[in-house]
Each structure stands twice: as structure tokens, then as C-alpha cells.
Amino acid sequence: MNVKYWLPRSFTIWKEGYDLAKLSSDIVAGSTVAIIALPLAMAFAIASGVSPEKGLFTAIVAGFLISLLGGSRYQIGGPTGAFVVVLYAVILKHGYDGLVIATFLAGIMLFLMGVFKLGNIIKFIPYPVTVGFTTGIALIIFSSQIKDFLGLPVAKMPAEFTDQWLLYSKEILHVNYYALAIGLISIILLIKLRHKFPRIPAPMIVIVLSSIVVWMFHLPVETIGSKFGSLPSTLPTPTLPPLSFEKIRAVFPDAITIAILGAIESLLSCVVADGMTGDRHHSNKELMAQGFANIGSVLFGGIAATGAIARTATNIKSGAYSPLSGMIHALMLLVFMFLFSKLIILIPLAALAAILVVVAWNMSEFHHFKAIALKSERNDVVVLLMTFFLTVFIDLNTGVQTGIMLAGLLFIKRMIDVTGIIDTKETVVMPFDEADEPVDVDDAHAISKKIVPSGVEVYEINGPFFFGVADRLKNVLGELEEAPRVFILRMRHVPMVDATGLHALEEFFDLCKSNGTILVLSGVNERIRLKMQRLGFEQKVGKENIADHIDTALIRANQLLDKE
């Protein structure tokens, strides 16, 4: 057994050297993230149907364990918007005890996924499915916050989207205009502060100002204290509700959903962090840490947790150096809870609702949704819309399962259309030097028969470039000892590219650009080029950098080298 393979990132980072300057960077980053995480943790907990302190327990316990045991250098864990829809539905059906058991089981599943090295399988979920259910979740979060945003006197909200809006239509005459004013001003402040002062934690500014206004003028709006009472100042004693086979069987489908969604969100957050820093996470270590974190969270009275993309990005922008920043973020939240629990209860729910409305818009990725819906191929549009509508109007389980199944069926049909009855293999050949070139005597355009100038690398994709192989492209530059000045990607044997493949090409272009490498595409067929034009990729990479033949691409490479 290779012990080094399983060591958490926090255990191995010290070998790079750690000093007081790096500790100071981690303390500043961790404290900054904690300030942002405080209102978000409570808002996500309330939106999930539990009391606000359970969100704080989750951010403290799960946040600490994810940073301590995870496979990412910068990951920040805690409650997230992605879980709101699932957790609220579980609590309505099975109560909080049912949620604890479901999350406990999901933690075991996540841990086993890491042990059996299933981290890479999560990457095979098609991009339209991910965008579809993410946008659906965002819409449901927005819908669930209308009650507090308008200050409606509703004791218990239904979980179904249509039932919520039927209820709103009946209660619309009972709007609390003080709550509405607080909500609207909070949204304006959140947007303005984010654009003009991006380094200032806007959510914290909003809840402080709104709490002061409500307290000073005794405004008749609902607050955390008026709805939930006092907050504890310490963590509770670890407990677990009684387990029974009947209860486990009842919540098992929800446990699977929590595990899959937690895995997707955490690894997606790691990928975002890698893209911002050039670091590389270890997906299997990360899944194991997510498993431990979810088990620990519910033992201490919390809810399900995963990697938080926005807080992870803030951690990086604040100068974090190591996973210690994530642990400091969790400890700072514990300090805040101990010192300020009597002040936290003054926060108006309308302000927290405004924060979640902005979070819902940010996580909706509407520009990605719009791009696929209006400009992508029909099959991708069908998968996107089916996943989205089923997530919103039925439930997340049905949306994701149907989306993946439909994507698989449509892909099989697409492969039949493209390949006929010929059995082809999708391979990425790398690199194309004389030692590794699969020489074909009949191939007059093999790269081994061309003169490739120094500073130029040539790779080739053979076969359809779809969601199953798109992830391989991300690792190409990492295989090279030195980033080339020009990277030629041959696509003469690529009959089709789906939305995920084109998204991977865009990410690869950005990666090349950040490394000072110019990307040149060769042998792009007319159908793929038209798709690149529709989605704006041709303009991004440059028309002059898309060649119809390898000879043209090599001429272009020489021109670029001459310019340098």
C-alpha cells in the first residue's frame, strides 16, 4: 500500500517549506473567508429548513475536516446552495433525524468512492446535465426566498416549486413593506459593493447594517431571534439518532443524491481552484475527506457539506498558501459564534434572503445555460432543458438521473450516426515525435514526415471529442517539461464535438494563454468550425489560428515564432 498516495494535502504541503510569512497569509485568508462564510452558513441552513446554528456547526466541523484531510490546497468546505433543495425535501419527508441518517450514509458513500478511486468517474457527467440541474437549483433557491424577502406571514413553506408560487399568489396582499425595503436595499448594496469594492466582504456589511437599522428603529420584521430564539455559543455534544433498517431504507435514495451532488460540487470547486492557481488536486483524497466531513458534521448537529466554489475562490484571492487557511476559517467561525451569538440573532431574515437571491443568480450560470440552449446542437439542448425542468418541477434526483440517461442514449445515437457500422476508438495520441508516432506508410501527412520547428508541440485527437474524453485534454500541458511557444492541436480525425468538448477546448485555450502558449487548431472540419463560430470560440482563438491543414498550421506557427 502506497501510504504517500493517501496522505492528505495538509500533511504533504509542509515539505515545500512553511514560515511566518506564509502563516500570516493563511491567517488573513482564513479570517476573510470566515467573515463571508458566517452569514452564508446561516442563510443556507435556514433555506434548508433547519435553524441557523446548524449551518454554523456545519461550516466549523466540516470546514475544518475538509481542509485537514482533503486533496486540494485551497478548498473551503461548508453548507452550500446546491444542497438546499435536497435537504429541505428530506426534512419535510423524514424530519431532521432522517436528514442526519441520510447524510451519515452519504458520508460513508463518499469515503468509499475515494477508497475505490472513483473520483475520475464524476468527470464523465455531461456538461449540459451539470448546467441544467445547477440552474434548476438556483431557480428553486430564488423561489424559496420570496417568503422572507417579502416578509410574508407563512408558517411552513411547501417544497414543490409550483405549490410555492400558488401560496405566494394567495399571500401577496400581506407583504411586509419594511422587509421588502430591507431586501431590495440589501441586493443593491451587495451588487454595488461587489463591483466597486470586490475585496470587501459585502454579505457581512449588509447583515451588520440591516441589523443596526432594524434594532435602532424597532422595525416590525422577522429576525433570527424572533423566529429561532437564542443561539448556542459552543458546539454541541456529538450524537446520532437511533438507526433502524426501516429508516435507512426510507432515506437511502436521498443519501445517494447527497453523495453524488456532494462529489460533483466538491470536485468542481477543486477544478476551479486548480484553474485559478495552476495547482492540481487529488480527487480521491478529496472524496474521502468529504465523507469524513459529512459524518462529522451531522454528529455535531450540522447538515450536509461540500466544497464551496465562491468561498474557495475568495480564499485564493485573499492570498491563501496552504490548507491551514481553511482550518483557520473554521476556527474563526467558532470564535465568532462564541463571542457574538447574542448579536447574530438581530439579523433580519429579509437580509439573509437577499444574500441568497444574489447567490442563486451567481450559481445559475445563466450565460452558460443561454449559450447551450440557443447555440448548441439539438441533443445538448434537449438534455439541458429536460434536466432543468425535471429538477424544478419534479425533484433533483429525477432531473440528474434522467439527464444522464438521456445524454447517454443520445450519445449512442450520435456515435451510430457518425461512425455507421465501423467500430472506431476515441484516442488522444501524445506526443507526436519520431519515437512515439504510430507511423502509417499510407499517411502522407503524418507529423513524422513534417518539419516541426523548435518551441512547437503537435498533438492529435482521434475520434469524436465528447464528454467522455474531454477531460484528458486538460492534462496535456502538465505532461510537458516546458510550456511550448506554439501548441498545434490536430483535429483531422474528429467528426464531432459536443458542448462539453467545446467547453474543454475553451478551458485549454485559457490554460495555454496563461502559460504564454499560442494555440493553433489544424484540420477542423466545416461542421465543427461553424459550431465554433456560433459559440464565439473562433473569435476567441482567432480565425488565423484555425487552419484547414497541418501544413498551413506549421506555416502559421513559423509566423508566430518569427514575430516573437
Side-chain angles (χ1 to χ4, degrees), residues 31-47:
S31 301
T32 302
V33 177
I35 292 172
I36 294 173
L38 179 68
L40 289 177
M42 294 186 293
F44 288 137
I46 293 171

Side-chain angles (χ1 to χ4, degrees), residues 403-554:
I404 293 174
M405 181 183 69
L406 186 61
L409 292 174
L410 291 175
F411 173 72
I412 292 171
K413 180 183 180 299
R414 186 181 296 171
M415 291 301 95
I416 292 173
D417 293 341
V418 170
T419 60
I421 59 172
I422 300 171
D423 185 18
T424 62
K425 287 188 175 181
E426 302 83 39
T427 57
V428 179
V429 182
M430 61 177 89
F432 279 79
D433 56 24
E434 291 185 359
D436 295 331
E437 173 68 23
V439 179
D440 183 352
V441 293
D442 295 325
D443 186 4
H445 304 294
I447 201 64
S448 58
K449 299 178 181 179
K450 307 292 180 181
I451 298 175
V452 180
S454 177
V456 176
E457 286 286 344
V458 183
Y459 280 55
E460 182 165 7
I461 303 173
N462 288 316
F465 192 50
F466 66 105
F467 62 82
V469 297
D471 188 71
R472 300 182 198 172
L473 187 60
K474 298 177 186 177
N475 301 321
V476 170
L477 282 184
E479 300 286 335
L480 303 175
E481 295 181 1
E482 184 178 354
R485 286 183 286 171
V486 180
F487 190 106
I488 298 177
L489 185 63
R490 300 188 74 181
M491 300 178 66
R492 57 178 177 161
H493 296 312
V494 178
M496 55 76 62
V497 177
D498 70 355
T500 309
L502 194 58
H503 181 68
L505 279 175
E506 290 180 348
E507 289 186 332
F508 187 69
F509 170 80
D510 293 335
L511 184 61
C512 287
K513 189 175 180 180
S514 67
N515 282 278
T517 300
I518 300 173
L519 177 64
V520 175
L521 302 180
S522 169
V524 181
N525 69 40
E526 190 64 23
R527 182 181 175 187
I528 295 174
R529 186 153 190 169
L530 287 173
K531 186 172 185 177
M532 289 179 174
Q533 288 175 353
R534 287 201 312 270
L535 297 177
F537 182 72
E538 184 185 69
Q539 183 179 3
K540 188 174 183 179
V541 76
K543 288 184 179 180
E544 65 279 8
N545 292 328
I546 302 179
D548 59 354
H549 193 274
I550 186 61
D551 292 337
T552 311
L554 289 171

Side-chain angles (χ1 to χ4, degrees), residues 88 143-144 146-159 163-176 222 227 349:
Y88 191 80
S143 174
S144 68
I146 298 299
K147 177 185 82 73
D148 290 332
F149 190 83
L150 300 178
L152 299 177
V154 177
K156 190 174 183 179
M157 283 290 295
D163 290 344
Q164 289 175 356
W165 286 95
L166 286 173
L167 182 60
Y168 294 150
S169 65
K170 295 176 182 177
E171 297 289 339
I172 193 65
L173 297 178
H174 301 104
V175 171
N176 183 328
E222 201 167 31
K227 183 170 183 178
L349 297 185

Side-chain angles (χ1 to χ4, degrees), residues 80 82 133-134 260-270 306-307 309:
T80 67
F133 79 70
T134 302
I260 293 175
L261 188 58
I264 294 171
E265 288 293 313
S266 64
L267 295 182
L268 183 60
S269 179
C270 289
T306 186
I309 297 174

Side-chain angles (χ1 to χ4, degrees), residues 283-344:
S283 57
N284 295 316
K285 291 179 188 176
E286 185 63 30
L287 290 180
M288 292 172 68
Q290 296 289 334
F292 277 122
N294 276 279
I295 292 171
S297 175
V298 292
L299 287 177
F300 281 91
I303 56 178
T306 186
I309 297 174
R311 277 162 274 170
T312 299
T314 301
N315 188 39
I316 295 168
K317 292 176 182 177
S318 301
Y321 175 78
S322 75
L324 185 61
S325 63
M327 291 181 259
I328 290 171
H329 131 269
L331 295 175
M332 288 300 296
L333 284 173
L334 183 61
V335 172
F336 292 160
M337 190 172 69
F338 178 75
L339 296 178
F340 306 120
S341 60
K342 293 183 179 178
L343 297 177
I344 290 173

